[in-house]
mmCIF file of all heavy atoms in Angstrom:
data_model
loop_
_atom_site.group_PDB
_atom_site.id
_atom_site.type_symbol
_atom_site.label_atom_id
_atom_site.label_comp_id
_atom_site.label_asym_id
_atom_site.label_seq_id
_atom_site.Cartn_x
_atom_site.Cartn_y
_atom_site.Cartn_z
ATOM 1 N N THR A 1 0.812 -1.224 0.000
ATOM 2 C CA THR A 1 0.000 0.000 0.000
ATOM 3 C C THR A 1 0.845 1.273 0.000
ATOM 4 O O THR A 1 0.327 2.357 -0.235
ATOM 5 C CB THR A 1 -0.940 0.033 1.220
ATOM 6 O OG1 THR A 1 -0.182 -0.253 2.408
ATOM 7 C CG2 THR A 1 -2.052 -0.985 1.082
ATOM 8 N N GLY A 2 2.147 1.152 0.282
ATOM 9 C CA GLY A 2 3.008 2.332 0.268
ATOM 10 C C GLY A 2 3.319 2.881 1.639
ATOM 11 O O GLY A 2 3.440 4.096 1.813
ATOM 12 N N LYS A 3 3.493 2.000 2.617
ATOM 13 C CA LYS A 3 3.759 2.467 3.982
ATOM 14 C C LYS A 3 5.124 3.146 4.098
ATOM 15 O O LYS A 3 5.268 4.134 4.809
ATOM 16 C CB LYS A 3 3.648 1.291 4.965
ATOM 17 C CG LYS A 3 2.240 0.692 5.056
ATOM 18 C CD LYS A 3 2.143 -0.396 6.098
ATOM 19 C CE LYS A 3 2.902 -1.642 5.730
ATOM 20 N NZ LYS A 3 2.378 -2.305 4.502
ATOM 21 N N GLU A 4 6.125 2.621 3.380
ATOM 22 C CA GLU A 4 7.429 3.278 3.441
ATOM 23 C C GLU A 4 7.367 4.657 2.780
ATOM 24 O O GLU A 4 8.008 5.609 3.255
ATOM 25 C CB GLU A 4 8.511 2.429 2.772
ATOM 26 C CG GLU A 4 9.886 3.099 2.844
ATOM 27 C CD GLU A 4 11.045 2.213 2.433
ATOM 28 O OE1 GLU A 4 10.859 0.969 2.363
ATOM 29 O OE2 GLU A 4 12.138 2.756 2.178
ATOM 30 N N LEU A 5 6.606 4.785 1.719
ATOM 31 C CA LEU A 5 6.428 6.088 1.084
ATOM 32 C C LEU A 5 5.781 7.072 2.059
ATOM 33 O O LEU A 5 6.158 8.249 2.109
ATOM 34 C CB LEU A 5 5.559 5.931 -0.165
ATOM 35 C CG LEU A 5 5.637 7.048 -1.211
ATOM 36 C CD1 LEU A 5 7.052 7.172 -1.759
ATOM 37 C CD2 LEU A 5 4.665 6.778 -2.341
ATOM 38 N N ALA A 6 4.814 6.576 2.847
ATOM 39 C CA ALA A 6 4.174 7.421 3.861
ATOM 40 C C ALA A 6 5.179 7.822 4.932
ATOM 41 O O ALA A 6 5.191 8.972 5.395
ATOM 42 C CB ALA A 6 2.994 6.679 4.484
ATOM 43 N N ALA A 7 6.030 6.883 5.335
ATOM 44 C CA ALA A 7 7.056 7.190 6.337
ATOM 45 C C ALA A 7 8.028 8.244 5.820
ATOM 46 O O ALA A 7 8.448 9.151 6.559
ATOM 47 C CB ALA A 7 7.803 5.914 6.717
ATOM 48 N N ARG A 8 8.386 8.139 4.555
ATOM 49 C CA ARG A 8 9.305 9.124 3.968
ATOM 50 C C ARG A 8 8.649 10.501 3.882
ATOM 51 O O ARG A 8 9.318 11.530 4.026
ATOM 52 C CB ARG A 8 9.764 8.663 2.575
ATOM 53 C CG ARG A 8 10.724 7.478 2.625
ATOM 54 C CD ARG A 8 11.185 7.057 1.237
ATOM 55 N NE ARG A 8 12.064 5.886 1.294
ATOM 56 C CZ ARG A 8 13.383 5.952 1.500
ATOM 57 N NH1 ARG A 8 13.963 7.134 1.636
ATOM 58 N NH2 ARG A 8 14.104 4.854 1.545
ATOM 59 N N GLU A 9 7.333 10.524 3.645
ATOM 60 C CA GLU A 9 6.624 11.806 3.629
ATOM 61 C C GLU A 9 6.699 12.467 4.990
ATOM 62 O O GLU A 9 6.921 13.689 5.094
ATOM 63 C CB GLU A 9 5.167 11.586 3.225
ATOM 64 C CG GLU A 9 4.347 12.864 3.121
ATOM 65 C CD GLU A 9 4.804 13.777 1.995
ATOM 66 O OE1 GLU A 9 5.265 13.265 0.961
ATOM 67 O OE2 GLU A 9 4.700 15.012 2.157
ATOM 68 N N ILE A 10 6.520 11.699 6.060
ATOM 69 C CA ILE A 10 6.640 12.234 7.422
ATOM 70 C C ILE A 10 8.028 12.822 7.633
ATOM 71 O O ILE A 10 8.190 13.916 8.177
ATOM 72 C CB ILE A 10 6.367 11.127 8.457
ATOM 73 C CG1 ILE A 10 4.899 10.690 8.411
ATOM 74 C CG2 ILE A 10 6.730 11.600 9.864
ATOM 75 C CD1 ILE A 10 4.588 9.485 9.273
ATOM 76 N N HIS A 11 9.043 12.090 7.187
ATOM 77 C CA HIS A 11 10.427 12.535 7.396
ATOM 78 C C HIS A 11 10.750 13.795 6.599
ATOM 79 O O HIS A 11 11.225 14.796 7.151
ATOM 80 C CB HIS A 11 11.382 11.412 7.005
ATOM 81 C CG HIS A 11 12.832 11.802 7.061
ATOM 82 N ND1 HIS A 11 13.520 11.931 8.246
ATOM 83 C CD2 HIS A 11 13.715 12.116 6.062
ATOM 84 C CE1 HIS A 11 14.768 12.295 7.989
ATOM 85 N NE2 HIS A 11 14.914 12.416 6.672
ATOM 86 N N TYR A 12 10.457 13.757 5.285
ATOM 87 C CA TYR A 12 10.902 14.851 4.419
ATOM 88 C C TYR A 12 10.000 16.082 4.472
ATOM 89 O O TYR A 12 10.373 17.142 3.965
ATOM 90 C CB TYR A 12 11.043 14.353 2.977
ATOM 91 C CG TYR A 12 12.213 13.406 2.819
ATOM 92 C CD1 TYR A 12 12.021 12.040 2.631
ATOM 93 C CD2 TYR A 12 13.521 13.875 2.902
ATOM 94 C CE1 TYR A 12 13.098 11.168 2.513
ATOM 95 C CE2 TYR A 12 14.606 13.025 2.788
ATOM 96 C CZ TYR A 12 14.388 11.668 2.599
ATOM 97 O OH TYR A 12 15.464 10.811 2.489
ATOM 98 N N ALA A 13 8.840 15.959 5.106
ATOM 99 C CA ALA A 13 7.969 17.131 5.262
ATOM 100 C C ALA A 13 8.218 17.848 6.586
ATOM 101 O O ALA A 13 7.600 18.873 6.860
ATOM 102 C CB ALA A 13 6.498 16.710 5.183
ATOM 103 N N GLY A 14 9.127 17.324 7.392
ATOM 104 C CA GLY A 14 9.361 17.887 8.715
ATOM 105 C C GLY A 14 10.745 18.486 8.887
ATOM 106 O O GLY A 14 11.549 18.550 7.945
ATOM 107 N N PRO A 15 11.075 18.898 10.109
ATOM 108 C CA PRO A 15 12.363 19.552 10.382
ATOM 109 C C PRO A 15 13.568 18.620 10.294
ATOM 110 O O PRO A 15 14.705 19.084 10.302
ATOM 111 C CB PRO A 15 12.181 20.069 11.823
ATOM 112 C CG PRO A 15 11.117 19.200 12.414
ATOM 113 C CD PRO A 15 10.198 18.865 11.293
ATOM 114 N N ARG A 16 13.335 17.295 10.193
ATOM 115 C CA ARG A 16 14.447 16.353 10.101
ATOM 116 C C ARG A 16 14.803 16.016 8.646
ATOM 117 O O ARG A 16 15.589 15.099 8.395
ATOM 118 C CB ARG A 16 14.108 15.065 10.857
ATOM 119 C CG ARG A 16 13.932 15.272 12.350
ATOM 120 C CD ARG A 16 13.460 14.007 13.062
ATOM 121 N NE ARG A 16 13.340 14.238 14.490
ATOM 122 C CZ ARG A 16 14.281 13.963 15.384
ATOM 123 N NH1 ARG A 16 15.412 13.400 14.985
ATOM 124 N NH2 ARG A 16 14.115 14.214 16.661
ATOM 125 N N ALA A 17 14.226 16.716 7.706
ATOM 126 C CA ALA A 17 14.367 16.377 6.286
ATOM 127 C C ALA A 17 15.816 16.320 5.811
ATOM 128 O O ALA A 17 16.147 15.540 4.911
ATOM 129 C CB ALA A 17 13.584 17.377 5.435
ATOM 130 N N GLN A 18 16.704 17.133 6.387
ATOM 131 C CA GLN A 18 18.100 17.167 5.950
ATOM 132 C C GLN A 18 18.956 16.120 6.649
ATOM 133 O O GLN A 18 20.151 15.995 6.350
ATOM 134 C CB GLN A 18 18.687 18.561 6.200
ATOM 135 C CG GLN A 18 17.951 19.689 5.498
ATOM 136 C CD GLN A 18 17.832 19.464 4.000
ATOM 137 O OE1 GLN A 18 18.818 19.098 3.342
ATOM 138 N NE2 GLN A 18 16.641 19.665 3.452
ATOM 139 N N LYS A 19 18.347 15.363 7.543
ATOM 140 C CA LYS A 19 19.060 14.310 8.271
ATOM 141 C C LYS A 19 18.710 12.951 7.678
ATOM 142 O O LYS A 19 17.823 12.840 6.837
ATOM 143 C CB LYS A 19 18.699 14.370 9.758
ATOM 144 C CG LYS A 19 19.097 15.670 10.454
ATOM 145 C CD LYS A 19 20.609 15.842 10.490
ATOM 146 C CE LYS A 19 20.995 17.109 11.259
ATOM 147 N NZ LYS A 19 22.471 17.250 11.359
ATOM 148 N N PRO A 20 19.386 11.883 8.119
ATOM 149 C CA PRO A 20 19.182 10.574 7.476
ATOM 150 C C PRO A 20 17.791 9.970 7.713
ATOM 151 O O PRO A 20 17.192 10.139 8.769
ATOM 152 C CB PRO A 20 20.263 9.690 8.115
ATOM 153 C CG PRO A 20 21.256 10.630 8.698
ATOM 154 C CD PRO A 20 20.489 11.842 9.103
ATOM 155 N N PHE A 21 17.322 9.261 6.693
ATOM 156 C CA PHE A 21 16.149 8.389 6.809
ATOM 157 C C PHE A 21 16.688 6.974 6.673
ATOM 158 O O PHE A 21 17.197 6.595 5.617
ATOM 159 C CB PHE A 21 15.128 8.684 5.710
ATOM 160 C CG PHE A 21 13.929 7.764 5.720
ATOM 161 C CD1 PHE A 21 12.793 8.085 6.454
ATOM 162 C CD2 PHE A 21 13.945 6.568 5.000
ATOM 163 C CE1 PHE A 21 11.687 7.238 6.458
ATOM 164 C CE2 PHE A 21 12.842 5.723 5.000
ATOM 165 C CZ PHE A 21 11.709 6.055 5.736
ATOM 166 N N VAL A 22 16.620 6.188 7.753
ATOM 167 C CA VAL A 22 17.240 4.863 7.777
ATOM 168 C C VAL A 22 16.164 3.790 7.904
ATOM 169 O O VAL A 22 15.558 3.630 8.961
ATOM 170 C CB VAL A 22 18.244 4.737 8.940
ATOM 171 C CG1 VAL A 22 18.849 3.329 8.963
ATOM 172 C CG2 VAL A 22 19.342 5.788 8.807
ATOM 173 N N PRO A 23 15.883 3.041 6.824
ATOM 174 C CA PRO A 23 14.895 1.954 6.898
ATOM 175 C C PRO A 23 15.544 0.656 7.338
ATOM 176 O O PRO A 23 16.696 0.372 6.994
ATOM 177 C CB PRO A 23 14.399 1.854 5.452
ATOM 178 C CG PRO A 23 15.571 2.279 4.632
ATOM 179 C CD PRO A 23 16.355 3.275 5.446
ATOM 180 N N VAL A 24 14.799 -0.127 8.113
ATOM 181 C CA VAL A 24 15.288 -1.430 8.544
ATOM 182 C C VAL A 24 14.149 -2.436 8.489
ATOM 183 O O VAL A 24 13.041 -2.151 8.938
ATOM 184 C CB VAL A 24 15.897 -1.369 9.973
ATOM 185 C CG1 VAL A 24 14.924 -0.752 10.958
ATOM 186 C CG2 VAL A 24 16.312 -2.753 10.447
ATOM 187 N N ASN A 25 14.414 -3.603 7.910
ATOM 188 C CA ASN A 25 13.435 -4.681 7.867
ATOM 189 C C ASN A 25 13.576 -5.476 9.157
ATOM 190 O O ASN A 25 14.552 -6.203 9.347
ATOM 191 C CB ASN A 25 13.688 -5.572 6.649
ATOM 192 C CG ASN A 25 12.633 -6.654 6.492
ATOM 193 O OD1 ASN A 25 11.967 -7.040 7.447
ATOM 194 N ND2 ASN A 25 12.478 -7.144 5.284
ATOM 195 N N CYS A 26 12.596 -5.355 10.035
ATOM 196 C CA CYS A 26 12.688 -5.994 11.349
ATOM 197 C C CYS A 26 12.741 -7.516 11.241
ATOM 198 O O CYS A 26 13.311 -8.179 12.116
ATOM 199 C CB CYS A 26 11.505 -5.575 12.218
ATOM 200 S SG CYS A 26 11.521 -3.826 12.657
ATOM 201 N N GLY A 27 12.156 -8.064 10.187
ATOM 202 C CA GLY A 27 12.185 -9.504 10.021
ATOM 203 C C GLY A 27 13.572 -10.041 9.709
ATOM 204 O O GLY A 27 13.814 -11.249 9.824
ATOM 205 N N ALA A 28 14.487 -9.156 9.326
ATOM 206 C CA ALA A 28 15.848 -9.573 8.980
ATOM 207 C C ALA A 28 16.830 -9.363 10.123
ATOM 208 O O ALA A 28 18.032 -9.606 9.960
ATOM 209 C CB ALA A 28 16.328 -8.805 7.748
ATOM 210 N N LEU A 29 16.346 -8.925 11.279
ATOM 211 C CA LEU A 29 17.228 -8.704 12.427
ATOM 212 C C LEU A 29 17.384 -10.001 13.225
ATOM 213 O O LEU A 29 16.436 -10.450 13.866
ATOM 214 C CB LEU A 29 16.659 -7.607 13.341
ATOM 215 C CG LEU A 29 16.638 -6.190 12.778
ATOM 216 C CD1 LEU A 29 15.943 -5.247 13.748
ATOM 217 C CD2 LEU A 29 18.052 -5.703 12.491
ATOM 218 N N PRO A 30 18.569 -10.622 13.207
ATOM 219 C CA PRO A 30 18.759 -11.870 13.955
ATOM 220 C C PRO A 30 18.832 -11.614 15.458
ATOM 221 O O PRO A 30 19.400 -10.613 15.896
ATOM 222 C CB PRO A 30 20.088 -12.403 13.416
ATOM 223 C CG PRO A 30 20.826 -11.184 12.959
ATOM 224 C CD PRO A 30 19.770 -10.218 12.471
ATOM 225 N N ASP A 31 18.243 -12.509 16.230
ATOM 226 C CA ASP A 31 18.245 -12.363 17.687
ATOM 227 C C ASP A 31 19.649 -12.205 18.252
ATOM 228 O O ASP A 31 19.892 -11.410 19.149
ATOM 229 C CB ASP A 31 17.573 -13.580 18.338
ATOM 230 C CG ASP A 31 16.156 -13.274 18.772
ATOM 231 O OD1 ASP A 31 15.669 -12.174 18.439
ATOM 232 O OD2 ASP A 31 15.527 -14.115 19.436
ATOM 233 N N SER A 32 20.582 -12.971 17.700
ATOM 234 C CA SER A 32 21.939 -12.982 18.246
ATOM 235 C C SER A 32 22.682 -11.668 18.026
ATOM 236 O O SER A 32 23.655 -11.369 18.727
ATOM 237 C CB SER A 32 22.741 -14.125 17.615
ATOM 238 O OG SER A 32 22.784 -13.989 16.198
ATOM 239 N N LEU A 33 22.199 -10.864 17.060
ATOM 240 C CA LEU A 33 22.896 -9.619 16.730
ATOM 241 C C LEU A 33 21.997 -8.390 16.872
ATOM 242 O O LEU A 33 22.368 -7.314 16.398
ATOM 243 C CB LEU A 33 23.446 -9.690 15.306
ATOM 244 C CG LEU A 33 24.518 -10.757 15.024
ATOM 245 C CD1 LEU A 33 24.867 -10.762 13.545
ATOM 246 C CD2 LEU A 33 25.760 -10.507 15.866
ATOM 247 N N ILE A 34 20.846 -8.535 17.525
ATOM 248 C CA ILE A 34 19.889 -7.432 17.569
ATOM 249 C C ILE A 34 20.480 -6.169 18.185
ATOM 250 O O ILE A 34 20.332 -5.075 17.649
ATOM 251 C CB ILE A 34 18.595 -7.855 18.323
ATOM 252 C CG1 ILE A 34 17.581 -6.726 18.298
ATOM 253 C CG2 ILE A 34 18.877 -8.322 19.728
ATOM 254 C CD1 ILE A 34 17.037 -6.374 16.955
ATOM 255 N N GLU A 35 21.190 -6.305 19.300
ATOM 256 C CA GLU A 35 21.754 -5.114 19.959
ATOM 257 C C GLU A 35 22.882 -4.518 19.129
ATOM 258 O O GLU A 35 23.016 -3.294 19.036
ATOM 259 C CB GLU A 35 22.219 -5.473 21.363
ATOM 260 C CG GLU A 35 21.070 -5.822 22.307
ATOM 261 C CD GLU A 35 21.526 -6.001 23.733
ATOM 262 O OE1 GLU A 35 22.750 -6.085 23.955
ATOM 263 O OE2 GLU A 35 20.659 -6.054 24.621
ATOM 264 N N SER A 36 23.688 -5.376 18.506
ATOM 265 C CA SER A 36 24.766 -4.877 17.664
ATOM 266 C C SER A 36 24.219 -4.154 16.442
ATOM 267 O O SER A 36 24.731 -3.101 16.046
ATOM 268 C CB SER A 36 25.663 -6.044 17.226
ATOM 269 O OG SER A 36 26.661 -5.591 16.334
ATOM 270 N N GLU A 37 23.166 -4.701 15.840
ATOM 271 C CA GLU A 37 22.565 -4.075 14.662
ATOM 272 C C GLU A 37 21.961 -2.717 14.996
ATOM 273 O O GLU A 37 22.115 -1.749 14.249
ATOM 274 C CB GLU A 37 21.484 -4.989 14.078
ATOM 275 C CG GLU A 37 22.013 -6.245 13.419
ATOM 276 C CD GLU A 37 22.654 -5.970 12.076
ATOM 277 O OE1 GLU A 37 22.280 -4.980 11.425
ATOM 278 O OE2 GLU A 37 23.533 -6.751 11.670
ATOM 279 N N LEU A 38 21.273 -2.641 16.117
ATOM 280 C CA LEU A 38 20.608 -1.390 16.490
ATOM 281 C C LEU A 38 21.576 -0.368 17.081
ATOM 282 O O LEU A 38 21.515 0.826 16.750
ATOM 283 C CB LEU A 38 19.484 -1.668 17.485
ATOM 284 C CG LEU A 38 18.216 -2.329 16.940
ATOM 285 C CD1 LEU A 38 17.226 -2.598 18.073
ATOM 286 C CD2 LEU A 38 17.558 -1.467 15.873
ATOM 287 N N PHE A 39 22.461 -0.829 17.973
ATOM 288 C CA PHE A 39 23.269 0.104 18.761
ATOM 289 C C PHE A 39 24.748 0.105 18.415
ATOM 290 O O PHE A 39 25.518 0.906 18.950
ATOM 291 C CB PHE A 39 23.100 -0.208 20.254
ATOM 292 C CG PHE A 39 21.667 -0.312 20.690
ATOM 293 C CD1 PHE A 39 21.229 -1.361 21.494
ATOM 294 C CD2 PHE A 39 20.741 0.637 20.277
ATOM 295 C CE1 PHE A 39 19.906 -1.444 21.891
ATOM 296 C CE2 PHE A 39 19.410 0.551 20.657
ATOM 297 C CZ PHE A 39 18.993 -0.502 21.463
ATOM 298 N N GLY A 40 25.183 -0.784 17.524
ATOM 299 C CA GLY A 40 26.583 -0.834 17.151
ATOM 300 C C GLY A 40 27.414 -1.619 18.146
ATOM 301 O O GLY A 40 26.908 -2.142 19.143
ATOM 302 N N HIS A 41 28.713 -1.704 17.883
ATOM 303 C CA HIS A 41 29.586 -2.424 18.816
ATOM 304 C C HIS A 41 30.990 -1.834 18.775
ATOM 305 O O HIS A 41 31.409 -1.191 17.810
ATOM 306 C CB HIS A 41 29.636 -3.923 18.472
ATOM 307 C CG HIS A 41 30.159 -4.215 17.095
ATOM 308 N ND1 HIS A 41 29.334 -4.508 16.023
ATOM 309 C CD2 HIS A 41 31.439 -4.259 16.598
ATOM 310 C CE1 HIS A 41 30.061 -4.725 14.940
ATOM 311 N NE2 HIS A 41 31.345 -4.573 15.260
ATOM 312 N N ARG A 42 31.729 -2.082 19.867
ATOM 313 C CA ARG A 42 33.122 -1.665 19.964
ATOM 314 C C ARG A 42 34.017 -2.784 19.431
ATOM 315 O O ARG A 42 33.626 -3.946 19.371
ATOM 316 C CB ARG A 42 33.487 -1.354 21.415
ATOM 317 C CG ARG A 42 32.637 -0.269 22.068
ATOM 318 C CD ARG A 42 32.880 1.084 21.424
ATOM 319 N NE ARG A 42 34.245 1.520 21.575
ATOM 320 C CZ ARG A 42 34.713 2.174 22.650
ATOM 321 N NH1 ARG A 42 33.898 2.472 23.672
ATOM 322 N NH2 ARG A 42 35.972 2.551 22.711
ATOM 323 N N ARG A 43 35.201 -2.439 19.075
ATOM 324 C CA ARG A 43 36.165 -3.446 18.611
ATOM 325 C C ARG A 43 36.442 -4.452 19.726
ATOM 326 O O ARG A 43 36.641 -4.083 20.876
ATOM 327 C CB ARG A 43 37.462 -2.752 18.205
ATOM 328 C CG ARG A 43 38.535 -3.706 17.711
ATOM 329 C CD ARG A 43 39.794 -2.951 17.347
ATOM 330 N NE ARG A 43 40.835 -3.872 16.896
ATOM 331 C CZ ARG A 43 42.068 -3.501 16.580
ATOM 332 N NH1 ARG A 43 42.403 -2.204 16.644
ATOM 333 N NH2 ARG A 43 42.955 -4.400 16.182
ATOM 334 N N GLY A 44 36.391 -5.732 19.358
ATOM 335 C CA GLY A 44 36.655 -6.780 20.326
ATOM 336 C C GLY A 44 35.478 -7.150 21.196
ATOM 337 O O GLY A 44 35.609 -7.976 22.109
#
């Protein structure tokens, strides 16, 4: 139906338009790496 297009409209019509729009498919986030994927990780 165009939900991502709607999300992009929210982003680019607002004050955050010049900042990143980062899409993520939640179904592709593995349990073992969920925190690393969302929050990053340090070396080692």
Side-chain angles (χ1 to χ4, degrees):
T1 49
K3 296 184 291 297
E4 181 169 344
L5 200 61
R8 289 181 182 274
E9 182 66 33
I10 292 173
H11 175 75
Y12 290 108
R16 296 174 178 265
Q18 301 305 314
K19 298 295 183 177
F21 177 90
V22 178
V24 53
N25 184 337
C26 293
L29 292 175
D31 258 7
S32 58
L33 296 175
I34 183 66
E35 292 187 348
S36 176
E37 290 286 333
L38 287 177
F39 309 134
H41 60 260
R42 302 293 298 275
R43 180 181 179 184

